[in-house]
Amino acid sequence: MLLSIAVCPMLAQTLPEQQLRRAFALEKENKPAPAIKLLKTLLDSQTLDIPGTGKAWNILGLAYEDQGDFSLSQQAFEQSIQILKNEPDIRNYAMALNDFGGMYLAMSQLDTAQKIKVKALNEYEKVDDHGGIVRACYDLSQIAFGLVCGFVVNLQVRVRTAQFRALPFTVRAGLEGAHKKDENEEDE
């Protein structure tokens, strides 16, 4: 009897973390709906510690992003960042920032994505998190070269008009802007 009492609190402590890992696995398997359901239940139960709660909101942001609900995704990421920004383990905060920047990247809001990704990179550098540094730098390099915008337009929206096909490849791929040069601009 005494053993079961001693074991039950340990089981109760591991159950929320297991559910959080399961929700993350569902999100990674591109199953956002069941992940969202599990995460909402887990958050409503208030059984996670502070870092776990921040991670749950972050995963919820990823799941909403996968569904294309950027408004709810943004709200979830903002909750995650608010919770994790004062936690001692900076890596969780950096991860939330990096994923939040990824949402803006998916929305082709490159200026905002870049600002948030740079902030995440700075946090990853503080704790010498090489994996995080690589992920943030990769996305920043994509923004810098403009590839994301071109690929989002080309692959996600599937623009196939004759006018689009007539554009040079570098413009279609996002390597160059499609704007006309201002007459007042001088050649360099």
Side-chain angles (χ1 to χ4, degrees), residues 11-27:
L11 288 175
Q13 289 175 350
T14 59
L15 186 59
E17 287 78 13
Q18 289 173 341
Q19 290 176 331
L20 186 60
R21 283 193 297 277
R22 177 68 185 136
F24 184 63
L26 288 167
E27 196 283 323

Side-chain angles (χ1 to χ4, degrees), residues 90-125:
I90 294 173
R91 291 174 297 185
N92 292 328
Y93 175 59
M95 171 196 62
L97 285 170
N98 197 51
D99 290 341
F100 191 33
M103 181 204 71
Y104 281 105
L105 198 57
M107 294 171 39
S108 296
Q109 293 184 17
L110 302 183
D111 289 340
T112 305
Q114 180 179 1
K115 288 175 188 170
I116 296 171
K117 290 281 185 177
V118 166
K119 192 171 183 178
L121 175 61
N122 291 334
E123 297 299 318
Y124 282 132
E125 287 174 339

Side-chain angles (χ1 to χ4, degrees), residues 14 17 19 73 155 157 176:
T14 59
E17 287 78 13
Q19 290 176 331
S73 178
L155 296 177
V157 180
E176 292 180 6

Side-chain angles (χ1 to χ4, degrees), residues 132-143:
I133 291 168
V134 168
R135 286 187 300 277
C137 285
Y138 174 79
D139 289 340
L140 286 167
S141 72
Q142 296 301 298
I143 293 168

